[in-house]
Amino acid sequence: MANPVPAQRAPRPRHSPLVRCIAMVLLALIVVVGLAVLITWASVNPKKLKYSIEQGSISRYNLTNNNHLNANFHFVLRANNPNKRISIYYDRIKATVWYEDHKLSINDVRPFYQRRRNVTYVDLNLMAIQEPLYGTVARDLRMEKDSGTVNLDVKIRSKIRLKVGVFKIHRHLKIMCGTMKVPVSSSKEFQRVLCDVDL
Ligand SMILES: *[C@@H]1O[C@H](CO)[C@@H](O)[C@H](O)[C@H]1NC(C)=O
Ligand SMILES: *[C@@H]1O[C@H](CO)[C@@H](O)[C@H](O)[C@H]1NC(C)=O
């Protein structure tokens, strides 16, 4: 009696040629799209937005005996968009003034549109109205004020849309300027400061 031939197990089916073909096409597509994005980005050549405070002054300064501050702050922000292909909508802008981590004032700035390769000067006007200060903060402020300048920080937050061709990219922009010496009496000169940008 002949031994029965042991049943050979059929080899597991490998991916069919069709599946392999689809995979190759998908891979090729991904590579092509990736390259297109890279080339587009390279041609847009995004450059950093640059900001600085060009002027700063304090007027109507009055720190009362019970440490309440009244003052008007004026700054000029220089916004530089060096991009050839990106324009910017500043949709909502909030500016704040800080002294030693104490927020003295907050104000909205009028929204604006900045064209490509444009420098725009923005007036920032803020007011402290009966702003209560801690004793130590008030003491430091008095001492600095007597020297003619006060050390302040200006922070700006803005919702922006970057317009690239037909696309609009929504971003949150943070601009941090300072610490800068801001003259209280007009006898001192203001030194422009460059701002840090967080986009
Ligand atoms: C500062 O404010 C206090 C309280 O409002 C007022 O009495 C004082 O006259 C003011 N000082 C100046 C220099 O305006
Ligand atoms: C930037 O744009 C503003 C507003 O459109 C315009 O007033 C200003 O002259 C422009 N500045 C430059 C340098 O192009």
Side-chain angles (χ1 to χ4, degrees):
M1 228 169 83
N3 281 334
V5 179
Q8 276 226 316
R9 291 190 65 211
R12 288 181 72 211
R14 296 191 55 96
H15 292 305
S16 74
L18 180 64
V19 169
R20 244 183 297 166
C21 184
I22 290 175
M24 295 295 275
V25 168
L26 276 181
L27 195 66
L29 263 181
I30 289 169
V31 169
V32 166
V33 169
L35 274 177
V37 167
L38 258 179
I39 290 167
T40 309
W41 196 240
S43 75
V44 168
N45 185 20
K47 294 202 179 96
K48 276 191 184 164
L49 307 177
K50 290 189 198 131
Y51 302 90
S52 55
I53 299 281
E54 301 290 313
Q55 287 175 40
S57 60
I58 304 172
S59 57
R60 299 190 172 189
Y61 173 99
N62 183 359
L63 184 53
T64 63
N65 290 334
N66 62 351
N67 296 341
H68 284 62
L69 176 69
N70 293 283
N72 291 358
F73 306 97
H74 177 248
F75 298 95
V76 175
L77 174 75
R78 181 180 189 268
N80 179 7
N81 174 17
N83 287 289
K84 268 189 289 187
R85 293 198 166 78
I86 304 175
S87 55
I88 308 164
Y89 294 90
Y90 292 85
D91 289 324
R92 222 197 290 157
I93 317 169
K94 273 200 190 307
T96 48
V97 178
W98 299 75
Y99 178 73
E100 287 185 357
D101 299 331
H102 187 102
K103 195 196 291 173
L104 298 179
S105 178
I106 180 166
N107 200 7
D108 289 331
V109 179
R110 193 145 50 103
F112 67 99
Y113 169 69
Q114 186 169 35
R115 286 176 300 177
R116 300 168 287 175
R117 281 201 164 161
N118 176 271
V119 173
T120 296
Y121 291 87
V122 183
D123 279 302
L124 308 176
N125 289 300
L126 299 108
M127 271 175 133
I129 303 165
Q130 290 291 88
E131 180 65 29
L133 300 180
Y134 293 115
T136 51
V137 175
R139 184 199 60 201
D140 293 351
L141 185 56
R142 278 200 181 88
M143 269 159 53
E144 283 181 28
K145 195 261 175 185
D146 288 344
S147 79
T149 62
V150 170
N151 290 318
L152 296 178
D153 288 67
V154 168
K155 295 181 192 170
I156 295 151
R157 281 167 176 270
S158 180
K159 278 192 171 181
I160 63 170
R161 280 172 294 154
L162 301 168
K163 185 168 175 289
V164 188
V166 295
F167 298 104
K168 293 197 182 121
I169 305 165
H170 292 249
R171 301 304 289 264
H172 283 278
L173 171 71
K174 266 196 250 172
I175 307 168
M176 287 137 309
C177 314
T179 301
M180 54 196 146
K181 289 189 183 304
V182 183
V184 184
S185 56
S186 50
S187 61
K188 300 256 178 168
E189 254 187 50
F190 180 81
Q191 294 282 320
R192 77 190 285 261
V193 294
L194 302 178
C195 308
D196 289 328
V197 181
D198 192 356
L199 187 57

